[in-house]
Amino acid sequence: MTAPKALVAGNWKMNGLLASREEIKKLNFLVAQGGAGCDVLICPPATLISTLMGKGIDIGAQDCHMALSGAHTGDISAAMLKDLGCHYVIVGHSERRADHGETNDMVKAKASSAQGQGLTAIICVGETDGEREKGATLDVVTSQVTGSIPAEATAENTVIAYEPVWAIGTGKVPTTDDVAEVHGVIRSLLTDRFGPAGATVRIQYGGSVKASNAAELMSVPNVNGALVGGASLKAEDFYGIIKTYQD
Ligand code: PGA
């Protein structure tokens, strides 16, 4: 089976105002001019989804609630994201696992809700620095992957993002050997789970990806794109990462 088409996704986190429409226009222009050898996605804050939708770049979300509607003040459901035209939603980002106490079971329920609405869930996993120092990286990632993929998931509606927590927003990145080891383990978990179709599930790397290190990281076996925070906020920086798929 051939390697899946890469997905380079920008996670804007809690950044962006209406003026960010300009950044999406610029990104759209750069992709239209220079092309993209990968799928491109931006996940802005929920407040911007509808205003950024329809400008050429695929727009996704950063989180969804596990229920489709109801008394959950401040939350947004997968049905609402589908209604806006989203195809993707990030679930289980380490900042949500840490800030909102999201467990694997909660992440699984969110992914299930998203997939039930026809969205693709980008399920985030990754160890903390303490877990890496203890040599627990593979155990942590294994339990997050197996514990966060819902029973009804398919190879088509699942993306895994491996994001070492200590690499997020720090400028630190794992060695390519370390990335290869973790992505290899995730690939075998996916083939255990989905059979041969597990080879087609995209496994993104995330954590301090920028234009200057993207080519090296994206060439690691079983790395099928990137989940990018800081370097996705400016169109030129983000396009620098997208472009590595054309070189
Ligand atoms: P970063 O964030 O690229 O700023 O390290 C990545 C992420 O949290 O998805």
Side-chain angles (χ1 to χ4, degrees):
M1 236 175 254
T2 52
K5 188 172 186 193
L7 172 64
V8 174
N11 170 13
W12 282 6
K13 310 190 179 184
M14 199 171 69
N15 297 293
L17 298 170
L18 288 175
S20 313
R21 280 186 287 218
E22 287 309 308
E23 227 44 61
I24 291 290
K25 271 195 218 152
K26 264 191 233 164
L27 181 61
N28 200 24
F29 174 79
L30 291 169
V31 170
Q33 292 287 299
C38 57
D39 291 335
V40 178
L41 173 71
I42 290 283
C43 299
T47 49
L48 292 179
I49 292 173
S50 63
T51 189
L52 300 183
M53 195 60 87
K55 301 206 173 357
I57 299 293
D58 211 353
I59 301 296
Q62 298 175 13
D63 178 50
C64 67
H65 196 274
M66 53 196 80
L68 294 180
S69 65
H72 302 288
T73 302
D75 278 313
I76 289 166
S77 77
M80 294 167 179
L81 299 177
K82 179 188 176 192
D83 191 43
L84 289 180
C86 292
H87 302 123
Y88 293 91
V89 57
I90 299 168
V91 291
H93 188 280
S94 66
E95 287 152 15
R96 293 212 55 95
R97 290 181 188 259
D99 295 355
H100 299 270
E102 292 190 6
T103 60
N104 288 336
D105 279 346
M106 291 162 76
V107 174
K108 179 163 46 174
K110 286 173 178 230
S112 168
S113 184
Q115 290 166 336
Q117 291 299 300
L119 305 183
T120 293
I122 301 176
I123 300 171
C124 301
V125 300
E127 81 287 359
T128 62
D129 50 356
E131 289 163 341
R132 176 160 284 270
E133 271 160 32
K134 275 194 300 194
T137 298
L138 298 180
D139 287 346
V140 168
V141 168
T142 297
S143 69
Q144 287 178 334
V145 170
T146 53
S148 306
I149 298 179
E152 61 276 41
T154 66
E156 290 75 38
N157 63 21
T158 304
V159 173
I160 302 294
Y162 168 56
E163 300 202 299
V165 178
W166 53 271
I168 294 176
T170 59
K172 293 185 204 159
V173 284
T175 65
T176 51
D177 283 352
D178 287 341
V179 174
E181 183 183 34
V182 177
H183 280 240
V185 167
I186 295 173
R187 179 66 68 208
S188 61
L189 293 169
L190 292 169
T191 48
D192 287 350
R193 175 71 175 71
F194 296 115
T200 66
V201 176
R202 289 172 293 186
I203 309 172
Q204 297 176 306
Y205 168 78
S208 296
V209 178
K210 42 187 189 253
S212 58
N213 61 19
E216 192 180 19
L217 288 164
M218 298 303 108
S219 66
V220 174
N222 289 309
V223 172
N224 315 115
L227 184 55
V228 184
S232 70
L233 295 173
K234 290 267 166 261
E236 285 88 358
D237 295 344
F238 192 49
Y239 189 66
I241 297 168
I242 293 167
K243 229 171 45 165
T244 58
Y245 278 98
Q246 286 184 307
D247 299 336

